[in-house]
Amino acid sequence: MNHDVLILIDIQNMYFSEGAYQLHEPEKAAEKAAILLKKFREEQKPVIHVMHRFPVGDQAEGRYLLEFNEAVLPQAGETIIEKDYPSAFLQTGLKDALDALHANTLVIAGMMTHMCIDTTVRAAQNYDYKVTVIDDACTTKDLVWKGETIDAKTVHASIMASLQGTFATVMGIDKFMQQQ
């Protein structure tokens, strides 16, 4: 039996226009993630929300930036995993949560492609999960290497190309919805 689990990684306000870590078109990625989330909820399949912790002190603005974006707010009964590292598996309860759900197939979307998506997808291979990454429900930012800026679209495409086949099946939301 196939036990699919949706994992939404770090779709938090800090990556949108009001945050300090603005990404390339996060609203578009969140919109696609919301479509995915709606589908999993309608089919009563499990959803796990992953949240990256950052020290913010007692500032209300800081707490707001850590919150999940309104497009993908968790509902009662959905698991929330907090993490301190790029991999959602490292020193978290994610593996235990997946074991409790008897998961074997992970559908992953979120932020940032070159960090938390990449490391989590690669780590999932260590546990023999079949992984699908919804590429247009993920995004990243420009990076600088040796004084040159690599635009976010190139960074994203490069990571997706490196994950495809060996670590995951990578596809857009439209193709995923057609296959279901």
Side-chain angles (χ1 to χ4, degrees):
M1 184 172 203
N2 197 17
H3 295 278
D4 297 349
V5 177
L6 173 60
I7 302 177
L8 296 178
I9 300 177
D10 300 349
I11 305 179
Q12 295 168 255
N13 290 329
M14 70 180 129
Y15 295 124
F16 291 76
S17 61
E18 61 272 348
Y21 300 95
Q22 294 176 29
L23 302 184
H24 176 73
E25 300 181 339
E27 295 83 6
K28 287 183 180 180
E31 178 184 304
K32 302 293 185 182
I35 293 168
L36 195 57
L37 178 58
K38 181 180 179 193
K39 179 175 182 48
F40 270 72
R41 286 174 175 164
E42 286 173 351
E43 295 178 0
Q44 298 181 336
K45 291 182 179 179
V47 175
I48 296 177
H49 300 265
V50 177
M51 170 186 282
H52 199 97
R53 289 188 286 225
F54 285 92
V56 295
D58 292 329
Q59 305 165 357
E61 180 185 357
R63 286 192 306 275
Y64 166 76
L65 293 175
L66 291 181
E67 292 173 4
F68 293 106
N69 184 264
E70 65 185 357
V72 293
L73 290 174
Q75 290 183 349
E78 294 175 348
T79 302
I80 297 173
I81 301 289
E82 294 184 358
K83 67 180 181 62
D84 296 311
Y85 302 98
S87 173
F89 287 100
L90 183 60
Q91 298 180 15
T92 71
L94 180 58
K95 177 69 168 81
D96 292 337
L98 292 170
D99 287 348
L101 294 168
H102 305 286
N104 57 22
T105 301
L106 310 180
V107 178
I108 296 179
M111 301 172 181
M112 294 187 285
T113 305
H114 75 282
M115 293 286 287
C116 303
I117 300 302
D118 186 42
T119 57
T120 300
V121 169
R122 290 171 188 266
Q125 186 181 59
N126 296 336
Y127 303 111
D128 202 29
Y129 292 114
K130 179 182 174 190
V131 178
T132 299
V133 177
I134 308 303
D135 74 324
D136 52 357
C138 299
T139 192
T140 195
K141 65 179 185 172
D142 294 350
L143 296 178
V144 177
W145 179 247
K146 296 184 179 182
E148 292 187 37
T149 299
I150 306 166
D151 67 277
K153 287 182 180 182
T154 301
V155 172
H156 180 79
S158 175
I159 298 300
M160 291 298 140
S162 70
L163 293 176
Q164 172 57 37
T166 302
F167 297 99
T169 300
V170 178
M171 67 179 72
I173 187 73
D174 292 341
K175 184 174 180 182
F176 181 80
M177 298 297 274
Q178 290 171 359
Q179 291 184 355
Q180 300 299 304

